[in-house]
Amino acid sequence: MVRQRVGLLMPRRRPREIHRQQGLLTSSWLGYAPWAVLTAHCLLAIAYNLATPFGNNGYPNTPDEGAHFQYVAYVAREWRLPKFEGYAGVGYEAHQPPLYYFLAAAVYALTGGEGKAVRLLSTLCSAGVVWLVWLTLRRLAPERPLLALTGMGFAAFLPMHIAIGSAVGNDALTNLLFAAVLYALLTNLHNATASTTAPENSNPLLKVPPAGRGNRADSVPPAKREEPEKRDTHALVPLAKRGEPSPHSVPLANRGEPAGGGRLYQLFLLPILTGLTLLTKATGILLIPIMLLGILLWGWLRYRSLVPGLSMGFLALLLTLSISGWWLVRNYILYDDPLLQRTFLEVFAGTAKAQDFINQGMTWGQYAQLVADWTFRSFWFAYGAPETARTGLPNFLPSSVYLGLGALTLGAAVGFALRLCEPSPLWARVWLLLAGLCLVLTLVSFVLFVRVFFQTQGRYFYPALLTISVFWALGWERLVPERYRPMALLGITGVLLALALGCLRYLE
């Protein structure tokens, strides 16, 4: 029998805790809960939409919305790409890749140019991120729906994510495509390790820890020994009944997938999604190393060789460039700058820079502390007001709110660190590595950016929002003792919902 380790995603929990979670989440409750969270997110985004004035460039909760809408309106009128002329012409957001703006232009045309209606495209995208968090955690741990609801609730009720999902701009679509790439990686890695000859109940998600004193299998009457396997767990992957094969002992080919790793077209979704991300925002370039490393590791997991991954990675890179390369070529022809980074630096030379703070006597350490403080605050929520709209300075919630959120963040980080010390299936560890790489690359790009410009906007971390949501849920599940776990996880999600509702009062 093949032995698989449990731990990181499958903590050593007694069967009664599984029963406690599934008793709390009945089949009917579980059927409605994710839809209720998704609906709540959409309703909150619509409420933020209606409460927030339209078109303010200086509001951090609707960043540069006027300039983004100017780009959308131009495309809706001309149905062609604008030429970037800085603050003149179509506006200072005309350097952005075109995908979001053509989609938004279609909404613009259908709604007669109503700005708050165009905002709904971002709401659809933010809702997609929330749903992908749910799908990701359900695939990682299908027998623990409360874990998935915790991560889903984090993404759904994060106030600044709701605000970005109720504003005109390409951020929401970028976040959705990043999340889609990470989920596609997870699907391919999981399928790559599936075996056609997996023994019964070899899936570690279905394993029950070895019996301890007073819980030995031979000390329980036969009738009682049958009960745990006959119990309806309400999980997506039910426990197998004695004498029947588990769902994961059935060859993949018999479940609609080719044996040994899923359909190849699923692998080629990665370069398609990556190419579309590059056509949405230049940040999408961060996905190229993640995609290539993911394909390389997929080949190693499936074939125990790097050669298939190298060849597939080369084809994936060609497909990515075939989708998005024309945009880079156009920029090179027009501006001699494929990613428009040099052009961006020239046009925005007059905005606040890090060097301005250093010239005024601030040390680099003090500057870093200021950036970290404001970025953490704006990750959760920052808002604009008429008196600060001209300067673009953010307004924050009371400091006590951020102290509480900092404590919650620290708890999740400690719990996740503890979970990393536990063993887990190889495919899960590989995916967590790739998801973590997404967060690290996002952090590095942010640091390089604020090294030049003073831009303390937490939304720049939202391309890694799926990663952050998964880490948040895994961390808190590990940190809370099992007897308090269901109520604690629901309570934390409830706190975030209350925070999202409370932030409505600051929108004007």
Side-chain angles (χ1 to χ4, degrees):
M1 174 177 289
V2 178
R3 296 177 60 86
Q4 296 200 39
R5 296 182 296 174
V6 297
L8 178 61
L9 304 178
M10 288 63 66
R12 296 179 177 87
R13 298 179 294 121
R14 290 183 289 274
R16 67 169 177 269
E17 188 205 344
I18 299 175
H19 180 60
R20 183 182 296 116
Q21 280 202 26
Q22 293 161 352
L24 178 67
L25 303 179
T26 62
S27 56
S28 58
W29 198 97
L30 177 59
Y32 292 114
W35 295 105
V37 172
L38 189 67
T39 301
H41 172 80
C42 293
L43 291 176
L44 282 166
I46 292 172
Y48 278 45
N49 184 343
L50 297 176
T52 306
F54 180 79
N56 286 293
N57 288 329
Y59 275 36
N61 51 307
T62 56
D64 303 308
E65 185 173 55
H68 286 295
F69 190 72
Q70 190 177 357
Y71 189 169
V72 172
Y74 174 86
V75 173
R77 291 193 308 268
E78 305 292 336
W79 291 105
R80 61 186 177 90
L81 292 171
K83 185 175 181 180
F84 181 49
E85 300 173 303
Y87 288 93
V90 183
Y92 62 85
E93 291 294 348
H95 70 283
Q96 299 280 5
L99 179 58
Y100 167 79
Y101 300 94
F102 275 82
L103 294 175
V107 180
Y108 181 102
L110 291 172
T111 60
E114 175 56 45
K116 292 198 172 185
V118 177
R119 284 175 168 178
L120 295 177
L121 176 60
S122 294
T123 301
L124 182 64
C125 293
S126 65
V129 174
V130 172
W131 193 250
L132 284 171
V133 172
W134 163 261
L135 294 178
T136 298
L137 284 165
R138 287 300 276 165
R139 181 171 285 270
L140 284 171
E143 94 293 6
R144 301 208 305 286
L146 191 53
L147 174 70
L149 286 174
T150 302
M152 184 188 195
F154 177 85
F157 303 137
L158 179 61
M160 201 63 175
H161 183 227
I162 300 171
I164 296 301
S166 58
V168 173
N170 59 352
D171 284 337
L173 180 58
T174 302
N175 303 337
L176 174 62
L177 290 170
F178 264 80
V181 168
L182 290 175
Y183 181 68
L185 281 169
L186 174 64
T187 301
N188 283 287
L189 291 171
H190 187 203
N191 289 342
T193 58
S195 171
T196 59
T197 58
E200 180 179 344
N201 284 337
S202 66
N203 187 343
L205 298 178
L206 304 180
K207 276 186 174 291
V208 177
R213 180 175 296 180
N215 192 34
R216 292 177 55 84
D218 54 8
S219 67
V220 181
K224 293 187 177 180
R225 265 182 265 158
E226 294 284 328
E227 289 180 3
E229 296 177 341
K230 291 181 178 179
R231 182 187 299 138
D232 183 8
T233 66
H234 309 299
L236 289 182
V237 182
L239 292 173
K241 295 182 180 180
R242 189 175 300 279
E244 296 181 3
S246 82
H248 287 262
S249 68
V250 180
L252 286 175
N254 293 343
R255 290 190 273 135
E257 299 180 3
R263 300 180 176 91
L264 284 180
Y265 80 82
Q266 295 175 335
L267 190 66
F268 280 99
L269 282 177
L270 285 169
I272 293 173
L273 292 169
T274 302
L276 292 177
T277 311
L278 282 168
L279 289 179
T280 304
K281 199 167 185 175
T283 313
I285 199 170
L286 300 179
L287 285 176
I288 291 180
I290 297 171
M291 175 192 71
L292 294 178
L293 181 59
I295 293 175
L296 185 66
L297 293 174
W298 167 86
W300 180 72
L301 287 174
R302 182 174 178 182
Y303 301 105
R304 288 300 185 267
S305 171
L306 295 179
V307 175
L310 288 172
S311 59
M312 294 295 289
F314 178 74
L315 293 176
L317 183 60
L318 288 180
L319 181 54
T320 298
L321 293 177
S322 70
I323 294 171
S324 59
W326 66 268
W327 170 252
L328 304 178
V329 172
R330 174 187 181 270
N331 289 340
Y332 180 78
I333 294 173
L334 290 178
Y335 315 106
D336 193 26
D337 188 6
L339 292 174
L340 289 178
Q341 297 302 298
R342 188 181 68 254
T343 307
F344 181 90
L345 292 174
E346 293 172 356
V347 170
F348 294 97
T351 60
K353 294 188 178 61
Q355 193 61 45
D356 298 335
F357 292 84
I358 304 304
N359 293 340
Q360 294 174 9
M362 184 177 286
T363 67
W364 280 107
Q366 291 171 329
Y367 176 74
Q369 184 178 358
L370 175 64
V371 169
D373 181 28
W374 282 27
T375 302
F376 177 80
R377 291 170 183 255
S378 63
F379 176 88
W380 292 96
F381 188 69
Y383 61 96
E387 57 271 18
T388 60
R390 186 183 63 83
T391 62
L393 289 175
N395 298 280
F396 296 122
L397 303 174
S399 295
S400 58
V401 175
Y402 295 109
L403 286 174
L405 293 171
L408 288 175
T409 304
L410 180 61
V414 171
F416 185 70
L418 293 173
R419 177 144 285 177
L420 285 178
C421 297
E422 300 172 344
S424 64
L426 182 58
W427 62 268
R429 294 201 304 274
V430 169
W431 184 82
L432 288 176
L433 170 68
L434 295 170
L437 178 61
C438 178
L439 181 57
V440 169
L441 291 178
T442 304
L443 173 61
V444 170
S445 68
F446 176 77
V447 170
L448 294 176
F449 188 50
V450 298
R451 177 64 177 77
V452 179
F453 293 99
F454 180 67
Q455 290 287 331
T456 57
Q457 301 187 54
R459 65 184 174 92
Y460 290 143
F461 286 87
Y462 285 3
L465 185 57
L466 183 140
T467 297
I468 297 169
S469 301
V470 168
F471 289 4
W472 172 277
L474 290 172
W476 271 110
E477 188 197 47
R478 174 61 179 81
L479 190 67
V480 178
E482 68 175 56
R483 64 178 300 180
Y484 304 113
R485 191 169 292 158
M487 295 310 300
L489 296 182
L490 291 176
I492 291 171
T493 304
V495 168
L496 294 178
L497 174 58
L499 177 65
L501 291 169
C503 288
L504 273 168
R505 64 179 293 227
Y506 295 98
L507 302 177
E508 59 176 339

